[in-house]
Amino acid sequence: MILNSISIVNYKNIMSANVRLSPKMNCFLGRNGMGKTNFLDAVHFLSFCKSAHSPIDSQVICHGQEFFILEGEYQSENGDLEHIYCGMKRGQKKHFKRNKKEYKRLSEHIGLLPLVFVSPSDATIIEGGSEERRRLMDIVISQYDKSYIIALYNYNKALQQRNSLLKVEEEPDAALMDILEQQMAEEGEKVFVKRKTFVREFVPVFHDIYQRICQSAEQVSVDYVSHCLRGPLLDVIRRDRFKDRAVGYSLHGIHRDDLDLRIGGYPMKREGSQGQNKSFAIALKLAQFDFLKRTNSRTTPMLLLDDIFDKLDAARVEQIVNIVAGKEFGQIFITDTNRDHLDKILSHGSFDYQIFDVENGEVTKKL
């Protein structure tokens, strides 16, 4: 999928921008805090119906403004054009439209415009809690499997209702508790199967990309950890209902799934250097790209690379440059404060590219 042009109004510090883009490489140069990341975040919003960094939609509206609007003109591999619109006023819900027709459910849009966003915040995949690693799986699987989104939504709804029952002072209704636990088990096992299949197919791709970046014999591993591996999920959930009542929430289920990330057999969080951690996170994201490209969507994802070269040695930078300049990638958006990194990428081929300066929220094409 190619984003031909994008219009941005009142999105974070970008008051107004109308940008025509290259179908291959789009480079955004500027000092930190000028709006480069905000531009990429607007592209992300059009794919996922939400910001990559702001959990509340109203937080993306420019200070002092009452609304924001994003519009993108896309072109698929077979030449079909897609117009995507998103707008929101303060205090009101956002509106998302495809070719002027509003979505009934935003989940219907996910996967239409596949995208992988690599940014400094990816460090939380390694350093953060298990929810960050579950999000990594959810973002990829939801882009090619609609039934996954439905199962995950149904599971979380039953989980929230069960947690509410666990918090009440009186003994909760046993029949209702049974129903909610059955719903959690049924939907949770659907999620588990899809996550397990994804990890099994994803890990070999990740290993290959990590070795290409590091050019070393470092042994890294990614293993899926789930309570479903202990037996039928319904049995696992019900086994500790008494403990759940004591703490007031559900201790077991796929909402506690995790990825065990290791280097040399030891936890990555504890043993990895700054460069190793960043290389690990970048490899995870580039493997996501490869995985999405090979799914039945038959659509090459857009790749967003935000300030990825910081804190990496020259050898790792060179290998990443070699990878992203390859023919297997489609449209790429890349930001940096250093023109030298971008020149290295552009020197690897004769592909089409555009370079933009970003200054105080204004995006200007360099001639």
Side-chain angles (χ1 to χ4, degrees), residues 27-44:
C27 309
F28 298 85
L29 285 165
R31 292 173 290 120
N32 291 329
M34 291 294 103
K36 304 186 303 297
T37 298
N38 293 342
F39 185 93
L40 297 194
D41 196 51
V43 177
H44 179 279

Side-chain angles (χ1 to χ4, degrees), residues 3-21:
L3 176 57
N4 291 328
S5 64
I6 185 171
S7 172
I8 304 172
V9 178
N10 296 337
Y11 193 89
K12 297 190 174 181
N13 77 327
I14 303 175
M15 297 288 290
S16 178
N18 290 281
V19 182
R20 290 207 62 83
L21 298 155

